[in-house]
Amino acid sequence: MTGERYEADMLHGLSRVGRPLLVRYDLDTIRAMIPRGMIAARPTDMWRWRELLPVRHTADVVSLGEIETPLLAIPSSGGPNALVKDEGRLPTGSFKARGLVMAVSMAKALGVTKIAMPTNGNAGAALAAYASRCGIETIVFCPDDTPEINVREIAAQGARVYRVNGLIDDCGAIVGKGAAEGRWFDFSTLKEPYRIEGKKTMGLELAAQFGWRLPDAIFYPTGGGTGLIGMWKAFDEIEALGWIGPERPKMFAVQASGCAPIVKAFEDGVEHAERWENAHTVAAGIRVPRAVGDFLILRAVRESGGRALAIDDDAIIAAVDGCAREDGLLLCPEGGATLAAYHRALREGMVDPSDRVVLFNCATGLKYPMPEANATLDRHQEIDLGLL
Ligand SMILES: *Cc1c(COP(=O)(O)O)cnc(C)c1O
């Protein structure tokens, strides 16, 4: 962090040295004006945190109903102390809605008319939905093996979407080139400052839901890391407001073994991650070979006393299956990765069985391929009901 300052209420991309910009608030004034109890008395949606969010005028909010997501116990597959924060209930079925509602609302407020973005699917869907809703034109680029449903929902919600024969950073290069030529505004992860502000509301909600004492550990499936960086920032802000104390959860950055640049950098003890070559995993949302915010993710994980963990696809699939069969909650593969990582952390003593942990399920499991179910019955034949 360079400590350089940039004007508020202006359109920004990366800093002059090519790093993400972080929004700062006048926390002393907020502290004097907004006691914790005032937040508790408001409706629980995302906008209850408005003093800690960048949108200044309610008229600029492009809402699709950003509810507070529930914390659900999964006692059979996760044990007595694991709670799933189920982000699949947000608009467009993923937590990308939190970031994109904020970034699009700010873009609208600042007069942007055309946006482009590289995506593994969910971010593009959320962008398309919010931008179409307020008349901003969008062009979305995704790897050609992005889940079919994601590509279609992006198109259905009014964006022009192109499949590119490469990975998300290859898509990002196309977006960057067009942005440099002045064709559109670049909405890549962390390349504009407001998405992270939306994502940080996950941390604010957790604080409120846990009665202003944070959980002991958070398992976060990490691609670009916006949510992890955002929550870490949120915790500092509400500590400055006197709403929580100095205690912090251990932050676990969970990646897939087939794409684990942050895990490698964590283990190597370095501050920046190298690009992960030949990235592959069933968990498309965390197939991010290179993250601009790598150093911010690594810093938060290290400061928190947490770890970065890589999980095999087999274990991811088994976790999704177990949670659905035993607890009736259909996780997305990335959410399954957090459950598998929690089991591993328990086995290896990184967390204690009595620790209260939060696992992030970032999208509805309904968006992802499911095991076949093709049993049939012929109603014209005698059916032995006892065999069913
Ligand atoms: C985007 C995404 C992630 C990764 O989130 P980041 O905050 O960018 O690290 C994980 N899971 C799903 C389903 C996603 O769409």
Side-chain angles (χ1 to χ4, degrees):
M1 265 169 250
T2 62
E4 273 184 302
R5 297 171 76 95
Y6 292 72
E7 285 287 300
D9 302 307
M10 279 179 56
L11 207 55
H12 291 294
L14 291 173
S15 74
R16 279 182 278 274
V17 295
R19 299 269 189 250
L21 294 176
L22 298 174
V23 180
R24 298 294 177 210
Y25 300 85
D26 181 357
L27 296 173
D28 290 336
T29 304
I30 301 174
R31 185 185 175 111
M33 281 169 44
I34 320 279
R36 206 167 69 178
M38 203 159 139
I39 297 288
R42 293 178 179 172
T44 55
D45 68 22
M46 199 168 148
W47 305 102
R48 90 195 300 202
W49 308 105
R50 57 187 170 264
E51 287 84 0
L52 290 172
L53 299 176
V55 184
R56 292 198 196 255
H57 307 291
T58 310
D60 290 323
V61 171
V62 190
S63 179
L64 283 163
E66 297 71 33
I67 57 161
E68 177 182 89
T69 58
L71 286 169
L72 302 172
I74 45 166
S76 300
S77 62
N81 289 313
L83 292 170
V84 172
K85 184 131 174 89
D86 190 12
E87 300 278 296
R89 296 158 194 242
L90 286 160
T92 70
S94 86
F95 66 7
K96 290 296 191 302
R98 292 183 188 270
L100 271 308
V101 69
M102 206 62 63
V104 169
S105 297
M106 287 304 286
K108 179 189 164 208
L110 299 171
V112 175
T113 56
K114 193 166 174 180
I115 293 172
M117 172 198 268
T119 181
N120 279 327
N122 288 322
L127 170 64
Y130 287 108
S132 295
R133 197 167 170 81
C134 66
I136 296 178
E137 197 182 335
T138 47
I139 307 179
V140 172
F141 303 88
C142 55
D144 50 9
D145 58 351
T146 298
E148 185 64 26
I149 191 163
N150 287 129
V151 183
R152 292 188 186 206
E153 65 178 325
I154 294 167
Q157 286 160 183
R160 294 204 293 289
V161 54
Y162 297 92
R163 299 172 206 253
V164 177
N165 50 351
L167 290 176
I168 189 166
D169 53 344
D170 301 308
C171 297
I174 301 172
V175 172
K177 185 158 185 288
E181 291 172 6
R183 294 179 187 279
W184 50 59
F185 188 64
D186 186 340
F187 247 43
S188 305
T189 305
L190 293 178
K191 290 194 182 167
E192 63 75 56
Y194 303 117
R195 210 157 127 188
I196 193 173
E197 295 303 297
K199 278 292 221 32
K200 89 179 177 192
T201 59
M202 297 188 290
L204 301 174
E205 279 180 23
L206 283 180
Q209 288 175 310
F210 275 85
W212 309 104
R213 259 209 60 219
L214 298 173
D216 298 305
I218 293 176
F219 288 75
Y220 187 81
T222 305
T226 340
L228 194 147
I229 299 165
M231 285 192 278
W232 199 244
K233 178 174 187 285
F235 297 152
D236 283 350
E237 288 172 353
I238 55 178
E239 184 187 353
L241 296 178
W243 296 356
I244 59 168
E247 309 80 22
R248 292 289 184 276
K250 286 183 186 158
M251 304 296 280
F252 287 87
V254 180
Q255 299 201 301
S257 308
C259 183
I262 299 296
V263 178
K264 179 164 190 308
F266 179 83
E267 284 170 359
D268 292 348
V270 296
E271 225 202 323
H272 287 280
E274 283 166 39
R275 183 179 197 269
W276 190 273
E277 300 303 327
N278 304 315
H280 61 90
T281 164
V282 291
I286 51 176
R287 196 179 57 167
V288 179
R290 174 164 39 203
V292 228
D294 52 2
F295 64 110
L296 296 171
I297 302 169
L298 287 158
R299 200 173 291 171
V301 169
R302 287 183 177 127
E303 275 179 24
S304 77
R307 297 279 295 267
L309 297 175
I311 303 297
D312 293 341
D313 276 10
D314 289 351
I316 291 177
I317 293 165
V320 170
D321 191 57
C323 188
R325 280 179 197 283
E326 296 162 27
D327 287 302
L329 181 63
L330 191 59
L331 303 174
C332 61
E334 298 78 3
T338 66
L339 176 54
Y342 172 52
H343 284 305
R344 179 163 149 211
L346 276 176
R347 274 198 310 275
E348 298 182 14
M350 300 169 192
V351 291
D352 193 83
S354 67
D355 285 346
R356 297 172 316 157
V357 310
V358 170
L359 311 176
F360 269 89
N361 183 47
C362 349
T364 167
L366 293 173
K367 286 202 195 193
Y368 299 86
M370 284 174 235
E372 282 182 22
N374 41 24
T376 60
L377 282 179
D378 181 354
R379 69 189 171 89
H380 301 297
Q381 305 291 321
E382 190 71 30
I383 298 173
D384 184 345
L385 298 178
L387 289 179
L388 301 183

